[in-house]
Amino acid sequence: GSTVKVSGPDGSQSFTIVGSTEAKPAEGRISNESPVGRALLGKKKGENVTVSVPAGDIDYKIVSIT
């Protein structure tokens, strides 16, 4: 249930990492099994993360975790 605020190519975004049954990407709730969720797990504030998605790689910087 952590909320991670990231800065990326599309500006700032917030993701709440939840279980797969609770995921609603349109509401910012992503599954811990999704590419973005897996990439963010275990990371700390200030770290850079590269997420591989079908459209290519996306680079994010973790701004905060609550």
Side-chain angles (χ1 to χ4, degrees):
S2 295
T3 299
V4 181
K5 185 174 182 181
V6 298
S7 175
D10 296 329
S12 293
Q13 293 180 288
S14 291
F15 301 110
T16 301
I17 301 174
V18 297
S20 59
T21 59
E22 301 170 0
K24 292 190 180 177
E27 297 176 12
R29 296 182 351 198
I30 59 170
S31 168
N32 59 338
E33 298 172 6
S34 70
V36 176
R38 278 196 311 262
L40 294 174
L41 286 177
K43 301 296 190 255
K44 296 178 181 162
K45 179 181 172 181
E47 285 191 73
N48 292 313
V49 178
T50 300
V51 181
S52 294
V53 295
D57 291 345
I58 303 172
D59 294 317
Y60 291 115
K61 180 171 183 168
I62 299 175
V63 177
S64 67
I65 301 171
T66 54

